Amino acid sequence: VVISASRSPEAALDAPAAVSVVGRSEIQRAPTLAPVEVVQDEPGMEMASKGLVQRTFSVRGDATVNSGSLLFLTDYRYSALPSVAFNIPYLVAATPEDLERVEVVRGPASALYGPGAPRGVLHFITRSPFESPGGAVTITGGGRNSIGGDFRVASVLSNHLAMKLSGGYLRGDDWPSTDA
């Protein structure tokens, strides 16, 4: 079931656009430093690395400095930097541990989302505390002295009230600088 193609739940085969969905199990199998990395292998997705967490990405075109031609959503809300309409993936509030799925709509979606979606939509959908209570911790490390971790804890307090707390930490050496 996809939501981003027509703004209502429907089967992926019935969607009026080309849609890729990265589900929870795929997100858990591939640890990432930035949430946008989970879609780097999806069809039509062009991504370039500019550092540990900095990514330039696009669908249906080159990955320009400003990947603003792709509408960037988190839980149905715009996630682009408002003043300049830049998509900055490391500013997404969701941690990889908190992601339920990521939907990529390839192709113009302006009829549904307005003029801000000429190349498609990248939609991050987080886990509901009602549907997935509990806790999890992920620790990552790797090259360039990088070490990081994510956590998520969620609890249902009553039939109408739940809470969720998630966060992350990352430290590493982006690019070495040598003073001549």
Side-chain angles (χ1 to χ4, degrees):
V1 175
V2 297
I3 296 171
S4 301
S6 60
R7 290 184 135 176
S8 61
E10 64 186 342
L13 292 175
D14 296 334
V19 180
S20 296
V21 178
V22 178
R24 181 78 197 131
S25 60
E26 293 170 276
I27 294 169
Q28 287 178 315
R29 276 196 303 264
T32 62
L33 297 178
V36 76
E37 289 181 45
V38 301
V39 297
Q40 68 186 358
D41 295 329
E42 293 304 307
M45 194 74 181
E46 180 72 27
M47 190 168 301
S49 175
K50 298 189 310 184
L52 285 174
V53 293
Q54 296 171 323
R55 302 287 182 270
T56 298
F57 57 92
S58 72
V59 172
R60 299 180 70 225
D62 60 340
T64 61
V65 174
N66 170 19
S67 52
S69 60
L70 182 67
L71 182 62
F72 202 55
L73 301 172
T74 302
D75 289 334
Y76 309 97
R77 295 181 309 267
Y78 292 115
S79 294
L81 192 61
S83 60
V84 290
F86 278 13
N87 291 327
I88 302 176
Y90 58 87
L91 294 180
V92 171
T95 63
E97 196 59 53
D98 197 28
L99 288 177
E100 176 65 32
R101 70 180 185 272
V102 181
E103 296 181 1
V104 180
V105 178
R106 295 180 302 280
S110 299
L112 290 170
Y113 292 97
R119 290 192 184 172
V121 178
L122 179 60
H123 191 178
F124 293 93
I125 300 169
T126 61
R127 298 164 60 191
S128 165
F130 287 105
E131 297 170 1
S132 58
V137 174
T138 304
I139 297 173
T140 57
R144 294 193 271 178
N145 296 322
S146 66
I147 186 162
D150 295 317
F151 74 92
R152 179 187 186 270
V153 63
S155 179
V156 177
L157 305 174
S158 72
N159 288 341
H160 302 289
L161 183 63
M163 72 92 181
K164 168 175 71 170
L165 179 66
S166 62
Y169 171 80
L170 175 65
R171 182 190 62 78
D173 299 331
D174 225 354
W175 302 108
S177 174
T178 305
D179 189 1

